[in-house]
């Protein structure tokens, strides 16, 4: 009977050791699997963020809605939220969204001051569009910043405006829906 009891203890001890080894292996595999899942989730989130990033660009000399001028285009795959815009002329700051609600109106005033806007006859005019912080630009959307009406028959006015615009630089800071900030600084040269 002692022999049977001894054999039973050996079997029970072996079973217990195997159970502990299997348990340790199961926990190890679970930890490794959860680490891999967390890494996969991070990578997927980062890829999703990058694939939904906005990409703003400024297009000059594109006729949109009867205006030849500057347009802000979201060429990315995500929504852009404007944080700030600044307009420079010959390197000097003309206006920014912290100073004025209509920075492009300030640009038009600078054009008058510079002598680029002296004539308003023959149906010619330089128009500006209201633009504010937190303006949302959806994927593929275009927003006009300023422009000369395309029906202008006065070439002197048209050339004068374009010569002025050649010295304009626009700087835009914007963010994605994920609060990632981007910057765009373009000139018309």
């Amino acid at each position: 009977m002692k022999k049977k009891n001894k054999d039973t203890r050996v079997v029970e001890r072996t079973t217990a050791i195997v159970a502990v080894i299997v348990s340790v292996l199961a926990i190890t595999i679970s930890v490794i699997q959860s680490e891999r899942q967390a890494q996969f989730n991070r990578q997927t989130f980062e890829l999703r963020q990058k694939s939904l990033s906005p990409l703003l660009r400024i297009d000059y000399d594109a006729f949109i809605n009867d205006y030849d001028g500057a347009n802000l285009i979201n060429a990315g795959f995500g929504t852009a939220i404007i944080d700030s815009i600044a307009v420079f002329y010959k390197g000097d700051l003309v206006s920014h969204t912290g100073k004025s609600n209509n920075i492009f109106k300030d640009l038009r005033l600078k054009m008058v001051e510079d002598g680029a806007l002296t004539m308003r006859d023959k149906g010619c005019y330089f128009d500006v569009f209201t633009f504010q912080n937190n303006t949302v630009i959806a994927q593929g959307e275009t927003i006009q910043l300023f422009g000369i009406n395309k029906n202008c028959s006065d070439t002197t006015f048209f050339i004068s405006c374009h010569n002025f615009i050649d010295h304009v630089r626009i700087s835009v800071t914007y963010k994605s829906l994920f609060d990632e900030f981007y910057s765009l600084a373009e000139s018309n040269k």
Side-chain angles (χ1 to χ4, degrees):
M1 188 131 200
K2 284 188 178 186
K3 180 113 173 129
K4 190 175 181 184
N5 214 359
K6 189 176 180 183
D7 289 340
T8 305
R9 275 197 259 155
V10 169
V11 169
E12 287 174 353
R13 192 176 295 163
T14 305
T15 304
I17 291 172
V18 169
V20 168
I21 291 172
V22 168
S23 298
V24 168
L25 285 174
I27 290 172
T28 304
I29 290 171
S30 294
V31 168
I32 291 171
Q33 184 64 28
S34 66
E35 286 175 358
R36 287 185 179 171
Q37 184 66 43
Q39 181 182 11
F40 174 79
N41 290 346
R42 278 191 303 275
Q43 289 173 343
T44 303
F45 180 74
E46 289 170 6
L47 285 174
R48 190 172 294 142
Q49 274 186 302
K50 289 178 183 176
S51 68
L52 295 176
S53 296
L55 176 63
L56 294 185
R57 66 182 178 86
I58 297 174
D59 187 15
Y60 292 92
D61 302 325
F63 282 105
I64 296 179
N65 296 335
D66 296 333
Y67 289 95
D68 177 26
N71 303 292
L72 189 59
I73 300 167
N74 185 352
F77 293 107
T79 301
I81 303 166
I82 302 301
D83 185 58
S84 66
I85 298 179
V87 178
F88 299 86
Y89 175 67
K90 291 184 177 178
D92 295 328
L93 179 66
V94 174
S95 190
H96 56 87
T97 49
K99 173 185 171 190
S100 172
N101 282 337
N102 196 338
I103 59 174
F104 297 107
K105 183 178 179 185
D106 294 343
L107 178 64
R108 181 170 48 198
L109 294 173
K110 181 69 174 172
M111 290 178 78
V112 170
E113 178 185 305
D114 195 57
L117 284 181
T118 56
M119 302 172 285
R120 285 186 67 103
D121 59 340
K122 299 182 185 175
C124 298
Y125 53 92
F126 182 87
D127 210 350
V128 295
F129 303 93
T130 303
F131 209 80
Q132 297 176 355
N133 289 354
N134 297 318
T135 296
V136 174
I137 304 175
Q139 172 191 357
E141 185 177 5
T142 298
I143 295 182
Q144 292 175 296
L145 304 177
F146 57 82
I148 307 161
N149 65 312
K150 74 177 183 182
N151 298 325
C152 179
S153 60
D154 188 330
T155 54
T156 305
F157 177 84
F158 199 80
I159 291 170
S160 176
C161 286
H162 271 278
N163 287 339
F164 180 88
I165 292 170
D166 283 344
H167 298 286
V168 171
R169 184 175 65 83
I170 300 171
S171 174
V172 181
T173 303
Y174 61 100
K175 63 182 178 178
S176 71
L177 294 174
F178 298 102
D179 283 335
E180 297 171 309
F181 282 85
Y182 303 91
S183 184
L184 166 71
E186 276 198 31
S187 63
N188 189 18
K189 291 220 169 200

